[in-house]
Amino acid sequence: MPQIKRILYKCNQVLLLSMDGCVYRGKCHQLVLPAISQEKSRPNLDIWQNNDQHRTEISREHYIRIDLQRVPNVDRVVDIVCDESFVSFAVLQESHMKYFRKPALPRREHSFKKLYHDTSEADAVHDLVFHVDGERYAAHKFIIFGRAPGLRELIRNYLDKDVYLNFENLTGKMFELVLKHIYTNYWPTEEDIDCMQQSLGPSKPAQRNRVCEMFHAHLEKFQLHELAKYVNNYLTEQQFPMPPRQRFHRLQRSQYPELYDVRIVCEDNQLLEAHKCILVARLEYFEMMFMHSWAERTTVHFDGVPFEYLEPVLDYLYSLDTEAFCKQNYTETFLYNMITLCDQYFIESLQNVCESLILDKISIRKCGEMLEFATMYNCKLLQQGCLDFICQNLARVLCYRSIEQCEPNTLQRLNDHYRRMFQSVFDYRQITPFSEAIEDELLLSFVDGCEVDLDYRMDAEAKLKEATKQKQKELHNKQDARHYEQQAISSMMRSLSLSKTATPAQATTTTTSPESAPNETKNWSRVVDKKEQKRKQAETAVKVNNVLKQEVQPTPELVPISPRATSTKEATPPPQSANSSAECSTPLSKSYNLDLSSLMPQSAKLSQKQRKRLCSESQSWRAPVELNSSTPVAVPNAWGVTASSPNSSYAEPFSSPAAAPTGSSADPTSFANMMRGGQVASPPEAGNSFSQILADERRQRDSYERMRNKSLVHTQIEETAIAELREFYNVDNIDDETITIERKSRPSNINFTTWLKH
C-alpha cells in the first residue's frame, strides 16, 4: 500500500489508515535474518559503523514483519484515534448521505383547472349558477367563497343556486376571465382586452384603457385585489407586468362548514364531512363517483380505512400543503401504510410526499427493504432514491447484506441502474490489447456460428448436480449396507465357534501320546502373523456367509422321527475316497465345525423340577446307538455341543463295562450335562489348564448369547430395516433434533461363574 494516510503503533500492535478510507490492524514480528542475508551484509559492515545516524535503527541480524488484516464493515474513514491501552479505537467516517441527493418532488399546481373545464350544468357537483349578460356559468360555492370575498357577499343574498349579476358594462367575457382567474390563477393578456372590447357591442370604447377601467371597477367590486392591481399597472404603464407568483390562500377543510355536502364513513363508523368540489378536483376516484347527474350521493363508505389515516388525506387534498404534512412527524410505519392507501385510491401527490419522507430515513440496513417495497407498490420516487443510494454506497450495502432479500427482477434493475450511473467509468475502463494480439475479425471467426443456449446449459448443470448427488447418496447407502454386513459377519465370527477339524485319519486317534505332546506345545507357543490371521478370518467369513446363503430355512412344521434313526444318521460317517489323505493335506480341504445353534428355533427354558427329572430318568427313553466299524466324524447337536467319546478304543461305548451309568454326572449323552457344561462330562485330562477352563466358560457364555439372540438371517433383516429407517427419517442430515435407531437386546437371565484373583 503506497498510499498510507496515518499510522498508529504501540509495542508490537499497529493501526493503519489508507488513503481510500480503509482501516488495517496488525502486529509486528521480529524475525532473524537468514544466514545468507547476514553474510551479504558483512561487506557493508564499515558503512553501518561509520553511519552514526542509522546505527540504532537498522539491524543487520533481524527484520520486522507486519501482518495486517482489514477491519470489516469500516470504510470511508477520514480520521482514526486509539486509546492508551491500544485495545479500542474510533474512526470518523464519511456519512452515507454525503453523495446522496433525494429526488425532487414533482411540481403541483394549486389550482382547479380540470374542474373549471369539466364543470357544466349537467354535472352533479356544481351548486351555483351565475347569470351574466344572458349567459349561464356553473360554479362552486366553496371555491368562490374562499377566493372572491365580494362575490361571496353577493351570493349570500340569494337563497337558491341561481345568482343574477346585472351590472353595467359587465359582459360575459369579463366574468369568464374572473372565473378563470379564480379557478386557475390565470392573468389576462392584451388579446383578452381586445375580446372584452368586442363584447361591449356597438357602444364599445375605442381605446383599451377605457376597457381596462371598466374591468378594473368590477374587480374592485368582487374584491379581487391582486388581479385589480395587475390591470391597474397596465393603465399606468400601457403594458402588463410579469405575472406575479403570489397565489391564493390555501383552502382548509374547516372553512365554511355550512357548505358540507358529503359525509365519509370511516372505520368504526366515524364520520368526516367534506365538499364534493374539492374531492372531485383532486381525485379521479371521486370524479367518477360524483360527476354524473345519475350518481348523486351524500354518503361515502370507507369501512376499511382508519380515521387517523383518512383525516390527513382529506386535509392534504384541500390545501396541498406539503410543509404542513411534513411537520406532523409521522412514523415510518404510518408512512408505509399511507403509501398503500394512496396507491389504492390513486392519490399520487400525497404518495410522492410520503416517499420523500421515507427517503429521509434511509440507511444502509434498510435500503434493501425500501427498494423491495417501492417495487411492490410502484413507488417511482422511492425506487429512484433507493437505487441511487445503493449504487453510491454499494460497498457498505454488500457488507451488511442488505439486498439479499430482493427479488431477481429488482437486482437486475439495480444492476442496470448502476451501469447507467457510472457509464463514464465503464466506458473509460476498456481493455486495450497488446501490440501482438490477434485481430478482432480473426477472433470473431472462431465463434462465428456457435450458438450457446444458456438455459440449456443451466438445465444440464442442474441435472448433472442432481445425478452426482443421487450417485453419492446411493454410494453412501451401499457403503452403509456393506458396513452393516461386515459388522454382522464379524459379530457372527465372534459368536460362532469355528474349530478346524482334523482329517479322518487323524480323528481316529484321539489318545494323547508322548510324541504328540511336543507338537501341541509347539503349536500353542507359535506366534501367528497378524496379516495372515486377518486373511484367514476374511476367507472364513466369506465361506460362512456363502454357507448361510445356501442353507435351506427350516420349516415351522415338526416331523416326528425316532431317536435311533437320528442317532444312526448322525453317527454314520461320510464315505471316504482313496484320495482323502491327499485332499486333507491341502489347505482347501480343511473343514470347519460350525455352531449353527443360532439358526435353530429357540426352546423354552426348563424349570428346576424338569432338570431334576431329566437327570434321574433311566436309559429306557434313549435308544442304543449302533456305530460302524469306522470312527464317525463328530457332528454338533442342536445345542452346538460336539459329543466326542472319552476313549477311541471302545467300539461300542454302551456295551463297555467302563461306560458311565445313564443319568450320572459322567454321562456324555445326558441333557442336563449338555446344558450344564456344553461338553462331555468326562474326567479332566492332565493336560487341561486354567486358561482352557476360562476358554470353555467363555465359549459357554457365547453359546448362551447365540441362543438368546437372533440368527444371522434375522440380524441382516434388522440391519436392513435400521438402514431404511435411517434413510426415511433422514437421520444424518437433521440438526435440530436427535433420532437414534438401534437394536434393543433382551436382558440376560443367567448368572455365570466369575473368577476372582486372591
Side-chain angles (χ1 to χ4, degrees):
M1 291 180 294
Q3 297 181 351
I4 298 176
K5 187 175 182 180
R6 190 170 183 182
I7 298 178
L8 301 177
Y9 63 92
K10 182 177 182 181
C11 297
N12 65 332
Q13 299 186 15
V14 178
L15 273 177
L16 189 144
L17 174 61
S18 60
M19 295 296 295
D20 57 356
C22 299
V23 178
Y24 297 85
R25 192 169 189 174
K27 291 185 178 182
C28 302
H29 303 277
Q30 183 177 359
L31 304 177
V32 180
L33 283 171
I36 300 176
S37 302
Q38 295 181 7
E39 292 177 358
K40 290 182 179 180
S41 62
R42 288 179 181 177
N44 300 328
L45 184 60
D46 297 336
I47 299 177
W48 302 125
Q49 290 178 351
N50 297 331
N51 193 352
D52 298 336
Q53 180 179 358
H54 300 88
R55 179 176 300 176
T56 59
E57 298 182 6
I58 301 178
S59 175
R60 295 185 296 273
E61 299 178 355
H62 301 84
Y63 69 97
I64 303 298
R65 186 184 71 186
I66 303 177
D67 298 331
L68 295 177
Q69 185 177 7
R70 182 182 174 184
V71 179
N73 302 333
V74 176
D75 59 349
R76 296 186 187 177
V77 178
V78 179
D79 198 359
I80 182 172
V81 293
C82 186
D83 58 355
E84 296 180 357
S85 59
F86 220 82
V87 176
S88 303
F89 68 93
V91 296
L92 180 62
Q93 291 181 282
E94 290 182 352
S95 174
H96 54 267
M97 305 292 291
K98 180 178 181 180
Y99 304 101
F100 175 67
R101 295 293 179 270
K102 185 174 64 174
L105 287 173
R107 185 177 179 182
R108 298 290 178 181
E109 294 184 1
H110 184 64
S111 63
F112 303 95
K113 184 180 296 185
K114 189 175 186 304
L115 181 64
Y116 171 76
H117 292 291
D118 295 342
T119 301
S120 64
E121 296 185 25
D123 61 42
V125 179
H126 74 281
D127 53 357
L128 188 63
V129 177
F130 289 101
H131 297 266
V132 179
D133 196 14
E135 298 182 5
R136 300 164 62 92
Y137 298 95
H140 308 85
K141 286 185 179 181
F142 181 75
I143 299 177
I144 299 298
F145 279 25
R147 295 192 169 184
L151 286 175
R152 178 181 61 200
E153 300 299 330
L154 293 175
I155 293 171
R156 285 179 175 176
N157 296 328
Y158 294 88
L159 299 179
D160 55 359
K161 65 177 183 179
D162 294 324
V163 177
Y164 296 90
L165 299 179
N166 298 323
F167 297 106
E168 187 180 0
N169 297 327
L170 179 61
T171 62
K173 182 61 179 178
M174 292 182 181
F175 191 75
E176 182 180 352
L177 287 176
V178 170
L179 290 180
K180 191 174 183 179
H181 175 73
I182 293 174
Y183 277 86
T184 65
N185 200 24
Y186 177 77
W187 302 95
T189 60
E190 293 183 358
E191 288 78 7
D192 296 326
I193 300 298
D194 295 339
C195 292
M196 287 189 294
Q197 185 177 5
Q198 295 295 331
S199 64
L200 290 174
S203 60
K204 61 181 179 181
Q207 298 180 357
R208 291 181 178 177
N209 292 341
R210 180 57 184 165
V211 177
C212 290
E213 290 177 356
M214 296 178 182
F215 185 54
H216 183 268
H218 296 302
L219 294 178
E220 291 290 344
K221 186 180 299 182
F222 298 152
Q223 297 183 14
L224 298 174
H225 302 293
E226 295 298 330
L227 183 58
K229 190 184 296 183
Y230 177 80
V231 174
N232 188 32
N233 194 3
Y234 180 80
L235 293 175
T236 57
E237 299 181 3
Q238 298 300 320
Q239 63 179 2
F240 287 111
M242 293 294 295
R245 296 183 178 180
Q246 186 176 2
R247 301 176 181 178
F248 289 104
H249 296 291
R250 298 183 183 274
L251 300 177
Q252 304 295 332
R253 187 173 61 90
S254 58
Q255 295 176 346
Y256 312 110
E258 69 275 6
L259 300 179
Y260 289 145
D261 52 1
V262 62
R263 294 188 306 172
I264 300 176
V265 181
C266 307
E267 192 177 16
D268 298 333
N269 294 326
Q270 294 182 340
L271 294 177
L272 285 173
E273 294 183 331
H275 304 86
K276 287 184 180 180
C277 59
I278 300 297
L279 301 181
V280 171
R282 301 303 188 201
L283 297 181
E284 295 182 1
Y285 178 83
F286 292 104
E287 181 182 358
M288 298 297 297
M289 185 181 297
F290 296 126
M291 282 299 290
H292 302 284
S293 58
W294 49 266
E296 293 185 3
R297 299 176 61 180
T298 58
T299 304
V300 181
H301 292 273
F302 288 88
D303 298 334
V305 182
F307 178 84
E308 58 270 14
Y309 285 94
L310 191 57
E311 186 179 18
V313 171
L314 292 179
D315 293 339
Y316 178 80
L317 293 179
Y318 273 82
S319 62
L320 295 181
D321 192 356
T322 303
E323 296 180 359
F325 186 84
C326 296
K327 289 180 180 179
Q328 300 298 323
N329 295 326
Y330 293 114
T331 61
E332 190 172 348
T333 304
F334 181 89
L335 295 176
Y336 279 121
N337 295 334
M338 184 65 73
I339 288 179
T340 58
L341 179 63
C342 294
D343 181 72
Q344 182 178 358
Y345 295 103
F346 306 103
I347 313 175
E348 185 178 358
S349 58
L350 183 57
Q351 180 176 345
N352 291 334
V353 175
C354 294
E355 293 175 14
S356 179
L357 293 177
I358 290 178
L359 284 177
D360 293 336
K361 303 178 181 181
I362 193 172
S363 63
I364 299 294
R365 297 184 181 273
K366 297 188 295 185
C367 59
E369 299 177 0
M370 291 183 177
L371 179 60
E372 192 68 21
F373 178 84
T375 305
M376 183 182 301
Y377 290 97
N378 194 24
C379 304
K380 297 181 180 179
L381 189 70
L382 180 60
Q383 182 176 349
Q384 180 70 21
C386 292
L387 292 176
D388 293 343
F389 180 84
I390 293 175
C391 292
Q392 292 168 359
N393 302 274
L394 188 58
R396 296 184 182 180
V397 172
L398 294 179
C399 288
Y400 285 96
R401 299 181 178 181
S402 302
I403 58 176
E404 286 188 351
Q405 73 278 7
C406 295
E407 297 293 334
N409 296 334
T410 305
L411 296 178
Q412 182 63 35
R413 190 178 295 107
L414 176 61
N415 181 48
D416 298 338
H417 185 79
Y418 185 84
R419 290 185 174 274
R420 287 194 302 269
M421 177 177 289
F422 300 102
Q423 185 65 37
S424 58
V425 179
F426 285 105
D427 294 341
Y428 175 75
R429 296 178 59 184
Q430 292 182 354
I431 300 177
T432 304
F434 59 96
S435 59
E436 298 180 358
I438 62 176
E439 298 179 357
D440 295 342
E441 292 78 7
L442 181 59
L443 181 62
L444 294 175
S445 64
F446 288 101
V447 297
D448 189 13
C450 298
E451 297 181 358
V452 179
D453 191 355
L454 297 180
D455 297 334
Y456 176 78
R457 186 185 66 178
M458 293 173 61
D459 294 342
E461 290 179 358
K463 292 180 181 178
L464 181 60
K465 291 181 180 179
E466 187 67 22
T468 305
K469 185 177 180 180
Q470 186 68 19
K471 187 175 181 180
Q472 292 178 355
K473 187 176 181 180
E474 293 178 357
L475 181 61
H476 181 69
N477 293 339
K478 289 182 179 180
Q479 291 177 354
D480 290 346
R482 182 60 181 171
H483 178 67
Y484 295 147
E485 184 178 356
Q486 292 177 356
Q487 286 185 350
I489 293 175
S490 61
S491 176
M492 183 193 66
M493 287 295 298
R494 290 192 299 267
S495 60
L496 292 175
S497 58
L498 297 175
S499 60
K500 294 183 179 180
T501 60
T503 59
Q506 294 175 352
T508 57
T509 58
T510 57
T511 58
T512 59
S513 60
E515 297 178 358
S516 62
N519 295 332
E520 293 179 5
T521 306
K522 183 178 179 181
N523 294 335
W524 182 266
S525 60
R526 184 183 59 183
V527 178
V528 183
D529 188 8
K530 293 184 178 180
K531 294 184 178 179
E532 185 68 19
Q533 186 178 6
K534 290 182 179 179
R535 186 181 66 80
K536 290 183 179 180
Q537 290 179 356
E539 292 178 357
T540 305
V542 173
K543 292 180 181 179
V544 170
N545 193 15
N546 294 332
V547 171
L548 293 177
K549 288 182 179 179
Q550 296 175 1
E551 182 183 4
V552 180
Q553 296 295 333
T555 58
E557 299 179 358
L558 299 177
V559 179
I561 57 176
S562 62
R564 176 181 295 277
T566 305
S567 304
T568 305
K569 185 177 180 180
E570 291 180 355
T572 302
Q576 296 182 2
S577 61
N579 301 329
S580 60
S581 60
E583 293 176 356
C584 294
S585 61
T586 61
L588 297 178
S589 63
K590 296 179 181 179
S591 60
Y592 298 89
N593 286 335
L594 305 180
D595 186 2
L596 303 179
S597 62
S598 59
L599 303 178
M600 300 298 293
Q602 303 295 330
S603 59
K605 183 180 178 181
L606 299 177
S607 63
Q608 187 175 5
K609 292 183 179 181
Q610 291 175 344
R611 289 197 299 271
K612 290 183 178 179
R613 184 182 63 185
L614 289 175
C615 292
S616 61
E617 283 180 350
S618 62
Q619 192 180 359
S620 61
W621 66 279
R622 292 189 182 89
V625 180
E626 296 180 0
L627 301 177
N628 296 334
S629 59
S630 60
T631 304
V633 178
V635 179
N637 57 14
W639 297 276
V641 180
T642 304
S644 60
S645 61
N647 197 337
S648 61
S649 62
Y650 295 144
E652 296 179 1
F654 292 100
S655 63
S656 174
T662 302
S664 64
S665 61
D667 185 6
T669 60
S670 175
F671 177 80
N673 292 334
M674 292 180 185
M675 292 297 296
R676 184 185 300 111
Q679 297 294 339
V680 178
S682 59
E685 297 179 359
N688 292 340
S689 63
F690 182 72
S691 60
Q692 292 178 351
I693 296 175
L694 291 179
D696 293 340
E697 291 186 355
R698 190 181 304 108
R699 190 179 300 108
Q700 175 188 357
R701 187 181 293 105
D702 294 340
S703 177
Y704 171 75
E705 288 295 331
R706 290 192 302 274
M707 293 171 61
R708 189 172 60 86
N709 295 330
K710 296 180 178 59
S711 63
L712 177 62
V713 177
H714 294 169
T715 303
Q716 291 178 346
I717 294 175
E718 289 180 353
E719 294 294 342
T720 305
I722 290 175
E724 291 177 355
L725 287 174
R726 290 179 65 88
E727 183 179 1
F728 178 79
Y729 289 102
N730 198 13
V731 176
D732 299 331
N733 300 325
I734 294 179
D735 299 331
D736 55 347
E737 59 181 354
T738 303
I739 300 177
T740 304
I741 302 175
E742 61 183 4
R743 183 185 295 100
K744 184 177 181 181
S745 60
R746 292 179 296 178
S748 178
N749 297 326
I750 297 180
N751 297 326
F752 294 97
T753 305
T754 304
W755 297 90
L756 301 177
K757 294 181 180 181
H758 296 283

